[in-house]
């Protein structure tokens, strides 16, 4: 019985491993995200320089901060757009010309493994004068093929000061990616069925143990003692007493 339960459990766990294998197929990365014409940030053109391959140092006197205004829990739905706000504070002596905001998704245990390059959002006519601060929106979307789980999001803002490029990391933390299809998914349904099966096997095992225990604790049948044996033992015990002599004298008179 125990071997059979162990075999079924091992088979179910082996099948569940197939659902954990999901490849992340990155969608084609868009170089720019269009904005409305006539805005303060200007029009995003197609000839915006790609700073994804460059690595610049942060400028002194520049501070950045990141806020998820509509998503404080940092839960990102795969394939759907999310929004964050990037705040930048200029404590230097020259104006800051904000060029673009970009982000990447990495594995949480090793940032050398790049999961996805997110879209870069470029700005035009976006400057921050000295002793001032500004906030810039960044809209992003992870791939719909990305497996649900925890990932690290690294976001940087690229800017120029006196025609020298710089970049600052405004966020380097964990986000939780979930499926956009709702609560029910193939993996969740399988895990639910697996839990029901394990509970059923546990119930069968407990029932068998109770039956075995009840068989062992059954009372042994009582052994009835005949009257002949009792009378013989009483005669032997009363032998030599006054009662036995009176009984023998009465039998002789008869």
């Amino acid at each position: 019985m125990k071997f059979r339960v162990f075999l079924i459990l091992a088979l179910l766990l082996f099948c569940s491993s197939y659902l954990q294998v999901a490849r992340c197929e990155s969608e084609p990365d868009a170089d720019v995200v269009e904005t409305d014409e006539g805005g303060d940030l200007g029009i995003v053109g197609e000839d915006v320089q790609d700073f994804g391959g460059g690595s610049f140092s942060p400028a002194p006197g520049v501070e950045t901060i990141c806020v998820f205004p509509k998503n404080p829990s940092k839960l990102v739905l795969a394939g759907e757009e999310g929004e964050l706000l990037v705040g930048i504070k200029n404590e230097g002596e020259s104006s800051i010309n904000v060029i673009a905001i970009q982000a990447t998704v990495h594995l949480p245990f090793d940032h050398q493994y790049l999961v996805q390059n997110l879209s870069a959002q470029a700005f035009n006519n976006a400057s921050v004068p000295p002793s001032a601060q500004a906030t810039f929106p960044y809209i992003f979307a992870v791939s719909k093929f990305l497996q649900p789980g925890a990932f690290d999001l690294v976001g940087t803002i690229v800017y120029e000061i006196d025609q020298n490029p710089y970049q600052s990391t405004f966020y380097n933390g964990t986000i939780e990616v979930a499926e956009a299809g709702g609560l029910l998914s193939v993996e969740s349904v399988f895990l639910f069925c697996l839990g029901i099966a394990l509970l059923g096997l546990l119930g069968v095992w407990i029932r068998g143990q109770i039956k075995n225990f009840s068989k062992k604790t059954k009372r042994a049948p009582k052994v009835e003692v005949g009257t002949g044996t009792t009378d013989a033992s009483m005669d032997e015990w009363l032998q030599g007493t006054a009662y036995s002599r009176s009984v023998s004298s009465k039998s002789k008179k008869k």
Side-chain angles (χ1 to χ4, degrees):
M1 180 65 183
K2 293 182 179 179
F3 177 76
R4 186 181 303 173
V5 173
F6 176 77
L7 182 62
I8 295 175
L9 179 61
L11 181 61
L12 291 175
L13 293 178
F14 178 74
C15 294
S16 64
S17 62
Y18 284 98
L19 293 179
Q20 301 296 331
V21 180
R23 294 183 179 180
C24 174
E25 301 179 5
S26 301
E27 295 176 339
D29 295 333
D31 293 335
V32 295
V33 177
E34 296 184 358
T35 59
D36 296 335
E37 297 185 5
D40 295 335
L41 300 181
I43 303 174
V44 178
E46 295 181 357
D47 55 348
V48 178
Q49 184 179 356
D50 184 13
F51 292 94
S55 179
F56 308 104
S57 60
V62 177
E63 297 180 0
T64 57
I65 191 174
C66 173
V67 177
F68 292 80
K70 301 179 181 179
N71 188 12
S73 61
K74 301 179 180 61
L75 179 64
V76 179
L77 299 180
E80 296 188 2
E81 290 185 347
E83 182 184 7
L84 57 83
L85 298 178
V86 181
I88 184 170
K89 184 178 181 181
N90 185 7
E91 295 182 349
E93 298 178 354
S94 302
S95 297
I96 298 176
N97 182 24
V98 178
I99 299 176
I101 295 176
Q102 58 191 7
T104 54
V105 179
H106 302 262
L107 293 180
F109 52 85
D110 192 351
H111 279 198
Q112 293 183 356
Y113 292 96
L114 177 63
V115 177
Q116 182 183 0
N117 272 317
L118 301 180
S119 301
Q121 183 166 327
F123 304 96
N124 189 20
N125 300 328
S127 61
V128 182
S131 302
Q133 57 187 5
T135 303
F136 301 91
Y138 177 61
I139 299 175
F140 65 97
V142 299
S143 173
K144 62 181 179 180
F145 301 104
L146 188 61
Q147 181 182 1
F151 296 90
D152 279 359
L153 177 68
V154 179
T156 57
I157 181 170
V158 183
Y159 51 93
E160 287 183 350
I161 299 179
D162 297 333
Q163 297 183 352
N164 295 319
Y166 299 93
Q167 74 177 22
S168 297
T169 301
F170 59 83
Y171 185 77
N172 186 1
T174 303
I175 59 173
E176 188 73 21
V177 178
E179 291 185 4
L183 296 177
L184 292 179
S185 61
V186 177
E187 185 175 356
S188 61
V189 171
F190 177 81
L191 292 177
F192 177 77
C193 295
L194 178 61
I196 295 297
L198 293 178
L199 290 177
L201 292 175
L202 181 61
V204 172
W205 181 79
I206 293 176
R207 183 180 179 184
Q209 295 297 321
I210 293 176
K211 285 185 177 180
N212 294 334
F213 182 76
S214 61
K215 290 180 181 179
K216 294 179 180 179
T217 55
K218 284 185 177 180
R219 295 181 178 179
K222 294 183 178 180
V223 179
E224 296 183 356
V225 180
T227 57
T229 307
T230 305
D231 295 340
S233 60
M234 288 184 63
D235 292 343
E236 183 179 356
W237 180 72
L238 295 174
Q239 187 176 4
T241 61
Y243 175 78
S244 62
R245 288 195 296 268
S246 62
V247 172
S248 59
S249 61
K250 289 180 181 180
S251 61
K252 288 180 179 181
K253 291 180 179 179
K254 292 181 180 179

